[in-house]
Amino acid sequence: MARKISGLQRVLDAPALFSVAYGEIASSIYVALGIIALHALGLTPEVLAFMGALFLVVSLSYAEGTAAIPETGGAATFVRRAFNDLAGFLTGWALFLDYLIVIALSAFFVPHYLAAAFKVGSLGRHPWDLVVAVSVIVGIAAVRLVRRSAFYRYGIVVAVLDLVTQLGLVALGFALLFSGDALTRGVSIGSEPSWHQIAFALPLAMLAYTGLETVANLAEETREPGRDLPRSLFSAIGLVVVIYVAIGLVALSAFPAEHGTTELGTRWLNSPLMGIVAALHGHLPGGLVTALRYYVGLTAAFILLVAVTTSISGFTRLAHSLGEHGQLPRAFGRLNRRTLVPPEAIVAAAVISIALLLLASLLADTVAFLASLFSFGVLGAFTAAQLAVIRLRFTEPDLSRPFRAAPGTRLRGVEVPLPAVVGSVLTFAIFVIALVTHPGARYGGPIWLAAGLVVYGLVRRGRGEGLLERIEAPPEQLPETQFSSILVPMKLGLIGEEMVATAVKLAQERGADVEALHVIRVPLDQAIDAELDLEEERAEASLTEAQLLGADHGVHVHGETVRARSIGEAIVDEASRRGADLIVLGSAPRWRRQSRFFSPTVEYVLRKAPCEVLVVAFPEGVMEEDGANLE
């Protein structure tokens, strides 16, 4: 096997992690600003600042936990390590709920931003907003079922686009809209907003700070988790909090709270940043405002699409971790060789998030219901994560901790991280507030946990293992070696026959089909459709021979002849077009006696192939006929 079939690899450095962290966390403001303003009114910037500071405190515990235990799974992993498998599962199950709600809300807000950008009112109204949202989730899930995510490769572009958009709105807002009088107008703490409204808004504000768990889930793919994770988290979160508060000040200046309400939380509830753009009318030339409306609307829709994609990826990574440790069915613990995620997890994420969205749409306030459910999951998980970091200081004092949350305080002879102590108290207090003030959290959250306990109990019973029994993941587990389509380029001669025989044997073992491809290389001095009768006859003969061999072994072999100037390019193009899972090539010994190990064709395919490549390299003295290899 010339291209190793790998699982999760340590390829992410600090800049890549920062881009993921900023892109994930900063995307939340597009969704959360309106619902927070609806309840916090003129105290929206203060609520964002307070919850942002708490979020930063929580991130200290996450940084210590993920740096010490650099495995996928995030908080569920170090809660399981600190307590037991049941506690780890409940934490992970709560985080599942958060991923699903981010998927649902991000998809739901896409049509609203597009409707505001292009002034197509029907796109932002029922039922078309739901139709578009469901289509977005289905489309992204379908792509992820067949393609590996490329977001981390281009994540810096998304982060820069997000940062430029938000800084631009802040700069324009402070220059043209900011008003200290507007910020204080109608604000009377205890009445506008009331203490109940403030209490109601605090859990909702957690929706503005998503993404921490997604970044923690990347610990297993980080080159130096002890250094890169903390640096990326703290720099991204600090920048996000500052920008959020600035956006809140600008938005409240444009739509001050009056008579117990603000247009930011009513008219612009589902596209709050477009409200800021609309408020610039009269301050900027009409053409510039129109261009800005298109830009912000399209940028917001794009960033929300990325949020859906990364949340699905986060869900699948967490599902993979729980599946590996016997907390979900075994299928969730196996990675698909092409996408490096469990396909079952992608389907589950899409189906459940759509169900949540449709269920919430039947209620009077879709966004508030989903936001309150989100607060239940994230506050419970954050509390558990911080308690786990504290407990690990007692149970595993010698555990290598490349990053330690500071400052610390001595407790029973052990240095305990003070941020984890303070943070766990605050997150639990706000968790209780959410249960008291939010029906969604009070009823929907426990129902979700009860469903998880049923799943967990059935899985453990099926495995014959105890509820609290600790199950370790198999070492160096690789993706399952399954193929549905194997492409084999044809060549007359003994090596060509061996290539076909190898492909047929693999297909027989794995229940796959074989795509036999004969490439006729047309010289540059001839037209691509020139008459090449001899080559056509040879191609037909080779394909017929492959189909007969397949029939003898019960394997379906589909044969096709293509013409091309380059055999390597034709193989790569056909593999992409057909969605092949594996390409089988042959290599003659004569190439290894030269300066190159493989022929130019094989080297090209190895560099450009969209899937795994199997090279059958024959030893010296075997099949030495001239021209036996693909040239």
Side-chain angles (χ1 to χ4, degrees), residues 474-497:
E476 300 296 327
Q477 189 173 27
L478 297 179
E480 56 185 357
T481 55
Q482 294 182 357
F483 311 103
S484 60
S485 176
I486 301 174
L487 178 69
V488 55
M490 301 299 300
K491 179 70 178 179
L492 293 177
L494 293 178
I495 286 185
E497 293 174 5

Side-chain angles (χ1 to χ4, degrees), residues 2 24 45 76 95 127 131 135 141 260 263 310 363 371 396 398 450 458 486 491 565 572 574:
E24 275 287 293
L95 291 168
V131 170
S135 300
E263 286 191 33
T310 54
L363 304 176
E396 299 188 43
D398 297 327
L458 292 174
I486 301 174
K491 179 70 178 179
R565 303 295 187 186
V572 171
E574 288 298 311

Side-chain angles (χ1 to χ4, degrees), residues 94-396:
L95 291 168
F96 273 153
L97 184 61
D98 293 338
Y99 281 122
L100 295 168
I101 290 171
V102 171
I103 294 168
L105 280 178
S106 297
F108 180 70
F109 273 66
V110 167
H112 289 276
Y113 274 97
L114 293 177
F118 295 100
K119 292 190 173 181
V120 182
S122 60
L123 192 60
R125 291 195 295 267
H126 186 80
W128 293 109
D129 55 352
L130 283 177
V131 170
V132 173
V134 170
S135 300
V136 164
I137 296 172
V138 170
I140 292 176
V143 172
R144 286 296 284 120
L145 281 171
V146 297
R147 293 183 65 86
R148 189 179 304 179
S149 175
F151 171 69
Y152 304 125
R153 189 183 309 167
Y154 307 110
I156 189 67
V157 177
V158 177
V160 169
L161 180 64
D162 200 0
L163 181 60
V164 167
T165 302
Q166 294 175 2
L167 285 179
L169 287 176
V170 168
L172 289 172
F174 272 95
L176 303 173
L177 301 175
F178 181 77
S179 168
D181 178 66
L183 290 172
T184 58
R185 189 188 314 160
V187 176
S188 177
I189 299 177
S191 57
E192 291 186 10
S194 67
W195 292 112
H196 180 272
Q197 285 177 301
I198 296 173
F200 197 90
L202 286 174
L204 293 180
M206 291 307 302
L207 184 62
Y209 297 100
T210 65
L212 180 58
E213 187 65 28
T214 300
V215 180
N217 256 320
L218 298 175
E220 197 168 332
E221 299 169 71
T222 303
R223 289 176 182 170
E224 297 183 53
R227 184 191 68 175
D228 294 341
L229 272 169
R231 289 170 55 190
S232 305
L233 277 176
F234 302 147
S235 56
I237 293 173
L239 183 58
V240 164
V241 173
V242 171
I243 291 179
Y244 275 14
V245 173
I247 289 176
L249 292 171
V250 169
L252 265 295
S253 296
F255 303 102
E258 295 179 317
H259 309 297
T261 187
T262 169
E263 286 191 33
L264 190 63
T266 53
R267 178 185 175 188
W268 298 105
L269 173 66
N270 294 331
S271 53
L273 267 64
M274 296 302 290
I276 298 176
V277 175
L280 293 172
H281 275 288
H283 298 277
L284 292 173
L288 183 57
V289 173
T290 300
L292 192 61
R293 188 182 76 235
Y294 286 133
Y295 170 78
V296 173
L298 289 172
T299 299
F302 173 70
I303 289 170
L304 290 171
L305 290 175
V306 172
V308 174
T309 304
T310 54
S311 294
I312 289 178
S313 295
F315 182 98
T316 59
R317 280 178 169 80
L318 179 55
H320 167 62
S321 176
L322 297 184
E324 276 192 318
H325 292 86
Q327 298 165 308
L328 285 179
R330 285 186 173 88
F332 288 90
R334 294 194 293 266
L335 300 176
N336 179 273
R337 63 182 305 105
R338 170 175 292 190
T339 61
L340 291 184
V341 293
E344 294 81 0
I346 296 176
V347 174
V351 170
I352 302 174
S353 61
I354 290 173
L356 281 173
L357 183 58
L358 295 179
L359 174 64
S361 70
L362 301 177
L363 304 176
D365 196 338
T366 301
V367 178
F369 174 77
L370 290 176
S372 65
L373 266 183
F374 178 89
S375 68
F376 175 90
V378 74
L379 289 166
F382 280 180
T383 302
Q386 293 173 104
L387 292 176
V389 169
I390 294 171
R391 179 172 171 79
L392 284 171
R393 289 285 187 98
F394 288 93
T395 59
E396 299 188 43

Side-chain angles (χ1 to χ4, degrees), residues 25-79:
I25 300 169
S27 66
S28 310
I29 197 67
Y30 296 90
V31 173
L33 182 59
I35 189 64
I36 297 171
L38 177 62
H39 299 280
L41 300 177
L43 292 184
T44 296
E46 289 80 0
V47 168
L48 285 170
F50 175 77
M51 297 307 293
L54 177 57
F55 191 66
L56 189 58
V57 170
V58 173
S59 71
L60 290 168
S61 295
Y62 265 79
E64 177 172 322
T66 51
I69 310 172
E71 302 174 11
T72 189
T77 296
F78 44 92
V79 169

